[in-house]
């Protein structure tokens, strides 16, 4: 997914339906363990920073608020709901 992978920084993107490009990318990774580690570590850090459960949930709530209006959230210590703008 192009939104999740930064080509050359967190992974390698190849064109769709291009077996030669896929083979070249696999050969490149197989021949360069340091590149594999670097891409893997960068991808892990990016996933933690940008795709955590909390961040994705907050993005969905913001989108939902944008398209449907305010969200009603029950207050922890009160039986009455709180409406957030």
């Amino acid at each position: 997914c192009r939104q999740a992978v930064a080509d050359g920084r967190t992974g390698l993107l190849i064109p769709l339906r291009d077996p030669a490009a896929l083979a070249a990318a696999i050969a490149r990774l197989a021949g360069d363990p340091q590149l594999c580690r670097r891409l893997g570590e960068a991808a892990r850090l990016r996933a933690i920073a940008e795709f955590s459960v909390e961040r994705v949930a907050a993005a969905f709530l913001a989108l939902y608020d944008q398209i449907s209006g305010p969200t009603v959230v029950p207050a922890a210590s009160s039986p009455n709901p709180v409406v957030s703008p």
Side-chain angles (χ1 to χ4, degrees):
C1 176
R2 293 191 185 278
Q3 293 83 6
V5 177
D7 191 31
R9 292 189 316 237
T10 61
L12 301 176
L13 292 177
I14 58 165
L16 290 173
R17 298 180 187 90
D18 188 340
L22 176 60
I26 292 170
R28 180 178 173 197
L29 293 170
D32 192 344
Q34 287 183 337
L35 175 62
C36 291
R37 279 191 286 283
R38 191 178 81 241
L39 293 175
E41 179 63 12
R44 185 182 72 78
L45 293 173
R46 183 166 186 222
I48 290 168
E50 296 186 29
F51 304 107
S52 68
V53 171
E54 295 81 10
R55 184 142 182 189
V56 171
F60 272 109
L61 285 174
L63 177 62
Y64 181 78
D65 285 346
Q66 181 183 2
I67 61 174
S68 69
T71 302
V72 176
V73 180
S77 62
S78 170
N80 300 323
V82 175
V83 177
S84 66

